[in-house]
Amino acid sequence: MKIYIDAACDILFSSFYIKGIEEYWGKEKIFFKNTPFPNFKFNNHFLAFIIKEEKSERKIIIDYADTSNVNKIALGWSDLYCKINIDEHKNYNSNKIISIGPSFGINLYSIPKTFFLSILNYIKSYRRIDSIKRFFSNYKAQLNRPKLDDYYPGSEEHNYIYFVGSLWRKEKKTNANRANFIRACLSKNINFEGGFAPRSKNDIQGYEDLTMELRDDIKTYINKTKKSIIAFNTPAVEDCHGWKLAEFLCFGKAILTTEISRILPKKLTNKKDIFITDGSQKDIEEKLENLKNNEELRKLLKQNARKYYENELAPVKVIHKIIESNQKIKFNTPSELL
């Protein structure tokens, strides 16, 4: 058996799933190829890979785009189309499409291997790469991401909340919800740290009082998020499941969130897995007070958040579910998943 991965894939957005492929089948069976993927341009919308056996092959798409739309070319090519952001109100008119949960970028490769692989994959697929700068920038970004092991839960600090979020030009609701959370934290007797990450062009007005002077680096973000007693989530670009939701579940945080807007492989239940707010500052303040003073509720949310990640979102579990979803693929289940 061999696993062929599109050499023109966006390595940053694909890293989470490549990790799952490595854990499921082993690194020695993975090969980056160009010729099996002639119709796919380099983009940050989906990962294409092929599971090749002696007498059969299965074509898989993992669509991690923010939008709820499906790529028709990729759908036609694939045997199974696995998508993060599925809109429950849309009729996709295909039995190939399955829901997978959110993910986040991780570090996969060492400096030498990142350099070698980026050059090799560019040479293989350069005709399909429109933006050379972005192609190599994503390899560099992958290199600077934390490893998956860095996302394990850590010790929390009493009465401490940390939150950093981006401002988006078109996502006014996201900006408003995040601003309400920051203001709610500042209005309470809470040791709050964070705010909006500054934009290089400073081109979104009205949030100056909530914007940090400097961006935190990823290591600081990870360490401070682990210390925070509460994490705040709200749908981001195109109402998508952002990286934050997957990160918070992986950290095993007590998550205060506005309504989840896209389908998940398994529903997150209010007051069991997550704590839902309507997004107004008043309601967030009430929910914050409840969570801050109710240690048992926080403990329950933390335990179930991490359990949800381990059962539904961990990279190897995602690959396992992809295989299970296609009954025509017959492979032995790795012993660690039994």
Side-chain angles (χ1 to χ4, degrees):
M1 180 194 301
K2 295 180 179 179
I3 311 300
Y4 297 144
I5 296 176
D6 183 5
C9 73
D10 184 322
I11 203 70
L12 175 61
F13 284 82
S14 300
S15 57
F16 192 86
Y17 304 105
I18 295 174
K19 175 71 171 176
I21 292 170
E22 289 180 349
E23 291 182 346
Y24 193 94
W25 283 293
K27 296 179 182 180
E28 70 281 358
K29 294 183 180 179
I30 298 171
F31 302 88
F32 286 90
K33 292 284 187 178
N34 178 62
T35 52
F37 309 99
N39 296 324
F40 301 144
K41 291 282 189 179
F42 163 68
N43 61 50
N44 65 341
H45 293 162
F46 56 84
L47 168 68
F49 68 99
I50 297 171
I51 305 165
K52 179 73 173 178
E53 288 189 292
E54 185 177 351
K55 296 181 179 181
S56 67
E57 68 177 30
R58 308 305 291 173
K59 299 174 181 178
I60 311 296
I61 290 290
I62 297 181
D63 181 337
Y64 40 68
D66 295 334
T67 176
S68 61
N69 296 331
V70 165
N71 183 287
K72 292 182 180 178
I73 294 175
L75 180 63
W77 174 87
S78 67
D79 295 304
L80 194 65
Y81 193 103
C82 316
K83 183 168 178 61
I84 291 178
N85 290 297
I86 293 178
D87 187 338
E88 65 178 330
H89 302 296
K90 279 188 177 181
N91 180 8
Y92 292 97
N93 197 29
S94 174
N95 59 6
K96 293 182 182 181
I97 301 173
I98 67 167
S99 172
I100 57 173
S103 61
F104 47 88
I106 58 173
N107 171 254
L108 278 179
Y109 307 120
S110 63
I111 294 175
K113 187 166 183 179
T114 296
F115 177 79
F116 172 78
L117 198 60
S118 64
I119 298 295
L120 187 63
N121 283 345
Y122 177 73
I123 292 171
K124 288 179 179 178
S125 58
Y126 70 92
R127 290 184 179 89
R128 297 188 287 125
I129 297 171
D130 294 330
S131 175
I132 300 173
K133 180 179 179 181
R134 194 178 72 181
F135 180 83
F136 286 105
S137 293
N138 287 347
Y139 274 89
K140 181 180 179 181
Q142 170 274 147
L143 185 63
N144 293 331
R145 291 292 298 177
K147 293 184 179 298
L148 186 61
D149 287 349
D150 294 327
Y151 280 90
Y152 279 89
S155 299
E156 295 181 350
E157 187 175 301
H158 175 69
N159 202 40
Y160 174 77
I161 294 179
Y162 172 78
F163 173 80
V164 172
S166 297
L167 284 166
W168 300 103
R169 288 191 60 80
K170 296 181 180 180
E171 309 302 332
K172 294 181 179 180
K173 185 177 178 181
T174 301
N175 295 344
N177 288 339
R178 289 176 173 176
N180 287 339
F181 178 75
I182 295 168
R183 292 190 178 104
C185 288
L186 293 172
S187 72
K188 297 303 219 177
N189 183 26
I190 290 171
N191 179 17
F192 176 77
E193 192 172 2
F196 284 113
R199 291 173 63 90
S200 57
K201 295 182 180 180
N202 192 27
D203 54 354
I204 299 178
Q205 307 303 314
Y207 301 99
E208 290 80 4
D209 59 323
L210 306 177
T211 300
M212 303 162 65
E213 291 187 9
L214 298 172
R215 286 177 174 266
D216 285 341
D217 60 34
I218 187 63
K219 185 176 181 180
T220 300
Y221 168 81
I222 293 290
N223 291 336
K224 290 184 176 181
T225 300
K226 285 184 178 182
K227 291 196 302 180
S228 181
I229 62 170
I230 295 167
F232 179 70
N233 174 71
T234 192
V237 177
E238 298 274 359
D239 276 338
C240 74
H241 297 309
W243 281 9
K244 285 183 181 298
L245 178 57
E247 288 177 330
F248 296 157
L249 290 165
C250 187
F251 282 134
K253 307 305 297 182
I255 302 171
L256 179 63
T257 181
T258 57
E259 287 284 352
I260 303 294
S261 56
R262 297 287 181 242
I263 292 175
L264 287 165
K266 181 182 177 182
K267 187 176 180 180
L268 288 165
T269 304
N270 188 30
K271 299 183 182 179
K272 178 184 175 185
D273 306 308
I274 53 176
F275 203 36
I276 295 177
T277 172
D278 65 14
S280 67
Q281 183 176 338
K282 180 181 178 181
D283 190 63
I284 291 174
E285 287 177 3
E286 292 175 359
K287 299 291 170 59
L288 275 176
E289 196 69 24
N290 192 336
L291 281 171
K292 189 178 76 162
N293 297 327
N294 191 335
E295 189 173 348
E296 285 301 311
L297 176 58
R298 290 205 317 273
K299 183 179 179 180
L300 175 68
L301 295 176
K302 287 164 57 178
Q303 289 175 342
N304 288 336
R306 179 64 193 184
K307 188 183 298 182
Y308 186 95
Y309 168 80
E310 291 173 349
N311 292 336
E312 305 294 334
L313 303 185
V316 72
K317 286 297 180 73
V318 175
I319 300 303
H320 178 58
K321 288 183 178 186
I322 288 172
I323 300 308
E324 279 191 327
S325 295
N326 194 327
Q327 297 300 318
K328 294 180 181 179
I329 301 179
K330 304 294 185 181
F331 296 130
N332 293 328
T333 302
S335 58
E336 69 268 20
L337 295 178
L338 293 174

